[in-house]
Amino acid sequence: MSVATWSAAGVTAAVRRARLALHLLVAAVLVTLARVATVAVLASHGWWFVQEKVLLGLPMLAAAGVVAVSTAGRRLFAARRAPSEGTSASGVVWLLTTAYAALAGLLVSFLAGYPLTGSTALIAVSLVCAGGLLTARVVAAPVDATDATDDAGIEPTPAPHGKSGFSRRRFISLAGGAVVVGAGGTGVGLLFMPAESVATGGGPRRSSGSRAAVSVADLRGAGTPAPGGSKRQYELTALTATVRLPSGREVEAWTYNGQVPGPAVTATEGDLIEVTLRNADIQDGVTLHWHGYDVPCGDDGAPGVTQHVVAPGEEFVYHFRADQVGTYWYHTHQASDRGVRKGLYGTLVVTPRDTQQADGAAPAKQLDLTLPVHTFDGTVVIAGQDGRTEHTAPAGTPVRLRLINTDSDPHRFALAGTPFRVAAVDGRDLHQPGEARDAGLRLPAGGRYDLIFAMPDTPVALVVDNDHDGGVRLRPGGAAAGEDPTVADTSGWPELDLMRYGEPAAVPFDAGKADRHFTIVLDRGVAMVDGAPAFAQTVNGRGHPSIPDQLVTEGDIVRFTVVNRSPETHPWHLHGHPVLIVSRDGKRSSGSPLWVDTFDVRPGQVWEVAFKATNPGIWMNHCHNLPHAHQGMMLRLRYDGVTTPFAGSHTTHAGATGSSPHGGH
Ligand SMILES: [Cu+2]
């Protein structure tokens, strides 16, 4: 609106519609003041949202606007009853220049955003000045070519002027042009300055201890189970296959062992999990990333960082101890936006070793369902389930539903017909979760919720995305078995806020005493991604792999401030560590400590999270909306002293593996 009103005022003044121009000028000033007010409101949510507006956009607009009002305003006011008077050429030029300043501010916010760089500021100011100078050349002549008292130093077409005026104006024009070209050129040149490759978050660049460097290739998991545990061996072969969905539809999928999801990997606490991954015919290459499972870095499955991508005909053996219980999943991390979408994922569930109850009685028979949700071509599928799949359990049976979101967007779940508890989030138990009912559950991309309840003597329905025909049905056995499950309309149920759910408990570190603090501002903007300019998903204005590594030292308490300036939700995911949620939009978490591996940062939100750096390695830190990661929103958290022998950038797509020895894929 600011751009429109200032340009309309300029154009109407140029064609001598003084009355209309005056009205438009008043409107432009009001719109500009409204813009200042909206920026002030935005500023109350955080400096990250307004920095470039406060430091560049508004000052440019205000400076040009004040000159425009003072040069054009008085003459337009005088001319409103005598239209032939018109306004001066300089007035028109300044009105239009103010419109350019408004446009430049808009473009800076849209294309560059946070943080404002000297380069961006120089380019923007130069473009506005260049626009003003060019406008002066074009506009000045017809409007008041004979106005010798024009005091703004604007050069009209030279013909009607005397020699001295001509030279003065010509000099100013040339000098102005030279300054503009120089400043703009400097701004463009600064774009090519090499960026800082490491962010230290306020901590030291080197650890004080002089330890020898360790390679991620040597940071491998145990080769034996814990005492009392056993070895769980799996062979997973990645291959293309035609897969029949529960609806009967067939899709061309990328699979582990010809099935989607891949084989369920299960273990008891203390077991050794050993998985041999082979690639039959996935040309992009594959890996296995154990999402949310804090494996040693060499088993993390990040191609180009912790291992070579597994090309067709090759294999890689993962092995690690199952020392974390809970609900997890695995997926390829190579070309992951495509690979996971097409089916390269499966579930990982680890159950506690000691299932004996405290009083020594045998555990009650449980119904334990692992329910990975995935979208194939717009159809939401729960593995092995559809609207007709029903599970029967006698009333009173303890039920655990393990919900897993394997998609890149959040899903909304609702459990109709019974009160329940959210026992665990992202595999980690909550502290004293309260009984909930008639609540919506928003599960971020990559996230997991374990819901528990005792089977009532009436049917229960798990509803996904308010689709009351799909989901999962549970029926009590016996007399009520014949009843048709009726599902309440769950769409209006309020969302359960996990930040206020459960009871507080002690946490192992003080998040307020962080050794390093990193700010991660998420936005869209023009940036280099994998060596090519793109309208990217950016972190602090940059795209992968040009985002500086975050450097930490083992033992550090690390804090992230994650800010979302963009209009899309970003499920933020750090490998190798669960993070503790500290606050969201300034409100501290007041329920059970919430340890997550993925947290949904919605548009405009600011999250504070913290973790202790206890798992040395080089870890991917990225948006788990996988197309976003592919479009640049991905960086690395690197422990001081850890190196990688795996060359080439970590890519989410084929064809860009760069200097990797497997660069042909
Ligand atoms: Cu994202």
Side-chain angles (χ1 to χ4, degrees):
M1 283 178 70
S2 188
V3 176
T5 47
W6 283 107
S7 16
V11 169
T12 47
V15 298
R16 293 176 183 268
R17 300 278 304 277
R19 218 184 158 81
L20 182 56
L22 187 65
H23 286 148
L24 284 165
L25 177 59
V26 171
V29 169
L30 290 177
V31 165
T32 301
L33 291 175
R35 175 146 176 70
V36 172
T38 59
V39 170
V41 170
L42 208 52
S44 69
H45 294 268
W47 176 240
W48 317 280
F49 297 106
V50 295
Q51 187 221 28
E52 85 289 357
K53 301 175 180 69
V54 170
L55 295 184
L56 180 68
L58 290 184
M60 270 196 309
L61 183 56
V66 164
V67 181
V69 169
S70 60
T71 52
R74 197 152 34 86
R75 290 185 66 164
L76 283 175
F77 191 74
R80 75 196 191 283
R81 296 198 190 287
S84 59
E85 293 287 314
T87 184
S88 66
S90 59
V92 171
V93 169
W94 278 107
L95 285 169
L96 290 174
T97 302
T98 309
Y100 305 154
L103 181 63
L106 194 67
L107 289 176
V108 166
S109 281
F110 188 65
L111 300 178
Y114 179 96
L116 178 68
T117 61
S119 166
T120 302
L122 281 173
I123 293 171
V125 171
S126 315
L127 287 176
V128 171
C129 292
L133 287 171
L134 287 172
T135 306
R137 289 193 71 97
V138 173
V139 164
V143 175
D144 71 354
T146 57
D147 183 0
T149 64
D150 186 344
D151 55 358
I154 305 295
E155 185 199 31
T157 44
H161 290 270
K163 197 172 184 342
S164 65
F166 172 78
S167 342
R168 184 174 63 91
R169 281 152 190 253
R170 186 178 171 79
F171 174 75
I172 288 169
S173 178
L174 282 174
V179 169
V180 163
V181 169
T186 307
V188 171
L190 285 175
L191 285 177
F192 295 94
M193 288 277 286
E196 190 71 54
S197 66
V198 164
T200 60
R205 190 164 284 267
R206 284 268 165 266
S207 58
S208 44
S210 55
R211 261 177 307 165
V214 57
S215 163
V216 287
D218 297 326
L219 295 169
R220 296 301 308 271
T224 55
S230 52
K231 192 171 178 178
R232 309 274 303 172
Q233 274 183 300
Y234 293 87
E235 302 204 343
L236 266 56
T237 300
L239 68 152
T240 55
T242 303
V243 170
R244 183 183 289 270
L245 301 181
S247 64
R249 192 153 60 93
E250 294 191 329
V251 293
E252 293 303 314
W254 292 1
T255 72
Y256 292 115
N257 295 7
Q259 63 183 85
V260 176
V265 174
T266 60
T268 306
E269 189 180 5
D271 286 353
L272 174 75
I273 295 177
E274 185 184 287
V275 182
T276 302
L277 170 68
R278 296 193 178 87
N279 183 358
D281 64 351
I282 304 295
Q283 298 306 315
D284 280 13
V286 293
T287 65
L288 289 174
H289 167 60
W290 309 95
H291 186 112
Y293 218 72
D294 305 326
V295 298
C297 193
D299 289 279
D300 191 50
V305 178
T306 68
Q307 66 170 99
H308 289 310
V309 67
V310 178
E314 297 180 340
E315 67 172 54
F316 188 92
V317 182
Y318 300 85
H319 50 84
F320 54 90
R321 283 226 185 120
D323 44 16
Q324 251 171 277
V325 300
T327 308
Y328 303 88
W329 63 300
Y330 63 82
H331 61 81
T332 185
H333 220 279
Q334 168 69 6
S336 60
D337 62 323
R338 183 158 51 178
V340 178
R341 179 166 45 80
K342 283 178 161 287
L344 288 172
Y345 70 92
T347 64
L348 167 64
V349 172
V350 178
T351 47
R353 173 151 300 277
D354 185 12
T355 51
Q356 294 290 306
Q357 291 180 339
D359 58 6
K365 178 103 177 94
Q366 271 209 53
L367 179 62
D368 189 326
L369 299 176
T370 302
L371 304 170
V373 174
H374 195 77
T375 304
F376 289 96
D377 302 334
T379 307
V380 175
V381 175
I382 305 178
Q385 321 284 326
D386 64 16
R388 291 173 299 276
T389 306
E390 295 185 355
H391 301 269
T392 307
T397 304
V399 180
R400 181 179 286 256
L401 304 181
R402 301 173 185 270
L403 314 181
I404 306 175
N405 184 356
T406 68
D407 280 326
S408 279
D409 289 301
H411 283 292
R412 185 183 194 276
F413 291 87
L415 192 62
T418 180
F420 64 94
R421 295 171 202 272
V422 182
V425 171
D426 287 2
R428 284 103 184 159
D429 285 350
L430 297 189
H431 185 241
Q432 296 179 9
E435 197 167 77
R437 103 171 280 155
D438 296 358
L441 295 166
R442 179 176 150 127
L443 185 57
R448 287 90 57 215
Y449 293 153
D450 284 24
L451 310 186
I452 57 169
F453 56 93
M455 186 66 204
D457 55 10
T458 48
V460 169
L462 178 73
V463 177
V464 187
D465 298 336
N466 303 321
D467 172 13
H468 292 94
D469 298 324
V472 177
R473 304 295 156 94
L474 299 120
R475 286 167 182 266
E483 276 177 33
D484 203 35
T486 47
V487 181
D489 180 8
T490 61
S491 57
W493 290 359
E495 197 176 301
L496 184 71
D497 185 0
L498 292 172
M499 297 223 359
R500 292 181 290 145
Y501 181 70
E503 295 300 321
V507 293
F509 58 81
D510 181 355
K513 296 204 178 99
D515 300 297
R516 299 186 191 252
H517 182 183
F518 298 98
T519 301
I520 298 171
V521 178
L522 310 174
D523 203 351
R524 298 220 65 174
V526 173
M528 298 296 282
V529 177
D530 288 321
F535 189 56
Q537 301 281 355
T538 58
V539 176
N540 299 336
R542 296 187 166 271
H544 176 81
S546 311
I547 305 164
D549 286 356
Q550 294 168 330
L551 184 76
V552 301
T553 308
E554 190 171 355
D556 281 348
I557 294 163
V558 186
R559 193 171 172 122
F560 286 166
T561 299
V562 187
V563 181
N564 187 354
R565 276 180 53 124
S566 88
E568 294 162 292
T569 291
H570 298 298
W572 199 256
H573 174 57
L574 170 65
H575 287 207
H577 314 71
V579 300
L580 176 70
I581 305 298
V582 177
S583 71
R584 180 186 61 212
D585 293 338
K587 288 195 193 67
R588 295 185 73 83
S589 173
S590 60
S592 163
L594 205 49
W595 294 92
V596 300
D597 46 67
T598 318
F599 52 99
D600 246 352
V601 188
R602 301 192 216 183
Q605 284 186 338
V606 179
W607 289 66
E608 297 275 350
V609 305
F611 63 96
K612 191 156 186 188
T614 53
N615 194 3
I618 303 176
W619 302 98
M620 301 312 298
N621 188 17
H622 65 97
C623 179
H624 215 281
N625 181 310
L626 298 174
H628 292 181
H630 170 57
Q631 290 161 44
M633 204 170 260
M634 176 163 58
L635 67 149
R636 312 190 308 177
L637 177 108
R638 180 157 65 77
Y639 279 63
D640 181 34
V642 179
T643 61
T644 176
F646 305 109
S649 68
H650 174 92
T651 61
T652 51
H653 238 298
T657 41
S659 58
S660 151
H662 295 269
H665 313 301

